[in-house]
Amino acid sequence: MQLNEFVQRNQEAEGGDIFQLENSKLLDIAVDGEVWLKAGAMVAYTGDLSFQKKTSGGVVGWLKQKATGEGTATMLVAGQGHVYAADRGKYVHVLHLQEGEALSVNGNDALAYESGIDAEITMMKKVASLASGGLFNVQLRGPGRIAFTTHGSPVVLETPVRTDPHATVAWSADTSPSFTTDIGWKAALGRTSGEEFQMDFNQPGGFVVVQPYEETGPQM
């Protein structure tokens, strides 16, 4: 391949939405005001932008910092320009939530969301050392755009269903998981890394997003 051909083939796309995928693993956000981004996810930017690291705030922010050492889980990007975001080569998925629509996302997999999104962080105490995002998940409520990541192509399963916390990425906001222990499952798989703990989505009518990969701790 010639140099000019490489440059032309991989140039950024022109125009598009506020949240635009340059490819399956790289997100281009057109910032005109403010947007929230996972700390460490910025790979490049253009224009006049500032970056300020934030905790989740208040008591929850303090608990998060003490429990996981993640004092800067998100950053506020402000100004005008473009910020390009990626997370360890994971696939990026963009959704435009309408008024009243919401999605709960594993704290480790939430990549970015518009400032108009209502974000509520909750602590999952019973799987503090097991869930891929550590202690937290974030419920994102529209209207606005959000982006989350997965290792590989995800599958969406209808509830009721039980899932491995390490592989669970997101779920419908009206579905609240409980946590169960199944020693038989652990013994059958011959594993000792926590697969005996399961997220139990027992309410019908919801959905869960699962990735073909098991994460074993907060990835920053």
Side-chain angles (χ1 to χ4, degrees), residues 103-104 154-164 167-172 175 177 199-203 205-211:
L103 184 71
S104 289
V155 62
V156 178
L157 304 174
E158 294 183 359
T159 60
V161 65
R162 290 185 179 184
T163 65
D164 185 337
T168 305
V169 174
W171 54 92
S172 49
T175 302
M199 298 180 75
D200 185 6
F201 298 89
N202 54 30
Q203 304 100 324
F207 65 85
V208 182
V209 181
V210 178
Q211 66 183 1

Side-chain angles (χ1 to χ4, degrees), residues 3-165:
L3 176 59
N4 287 340
E5 182 183 356
F6 172 82
V7 172
Q8 292 176 3
R9 179 176 296 184
N10 293 283
Q11 283 183 328
E12 63 175 321
E14 297 293 335
D17 199 3
I18 296 174
F19 278 31
Q20 175 173 297
L21 292 176
E22 293 293 340
N23 56 54
S24 62
K25 300 178 181 180
L26 181 63
L27 176 66
D28 173 4
I29 305 174
V31 183
D32 185 10
E34 295 180 341
V35 68
W36 289 95
L37 186 65
K38 181 178 180 180
M42 186 275 289
V43 298
Y45 75 92
T46 63
D48 183 16
L49 297 178
S50 64
F51 300 83
Q52 183 177 3
K53 292 182 178 180
K54 298 282 189 178
T55 65
S56 48
V59 175
V60 173
W62 182 85
L63 286 172
K64 182 175 185 180
Q65 187 172 15
K66 292 297 183 182
T68 68
E70 298 174 30
T72 55
T74 58
M75 56 185 175
L76 181 65
V77 185
Q80 289 186 322
H82 286 255
V83 60
Y84 301 86
D87 187 10
R88 295 171 295 123
K90 296 166 68 174
Y91 287 94
V92 180
H93 309 272
V94 175
L95 297 178
H96 191 172
L97 299 179
Q98 302 301 313
E99 182 76 36
E101 289 185 328
L103 184 71
S104 289
V105 182
N106 187 297
N108 186 52
D109 301 312
L111 180 65
Y113 53 92
E114 289 189 276
S115 59
I117 289 286
D118 181 20
E120 180 181 355
I121 297 174
T122 58
M123 185 164 53
M124 299 184 292
K125 298 179 181 178
K126 293 188 178 180
V127 285
S129 62
L130 299 175
S132 59
L135 288 170
F136 296 86
N137 70 287
V138 55
Q139 184 176 106
L140 303 172
R141 185 172 299 277
R145 296 163 182 82
I146 69 171
F148 64 93
T149 58
T150 63
H151 283 283
S153 298
V155 62
V156 178
L157 304 174
E158 294 183 359
T159 60
V161 65
R162 290 185 179 184
T163 65
D164 185 337

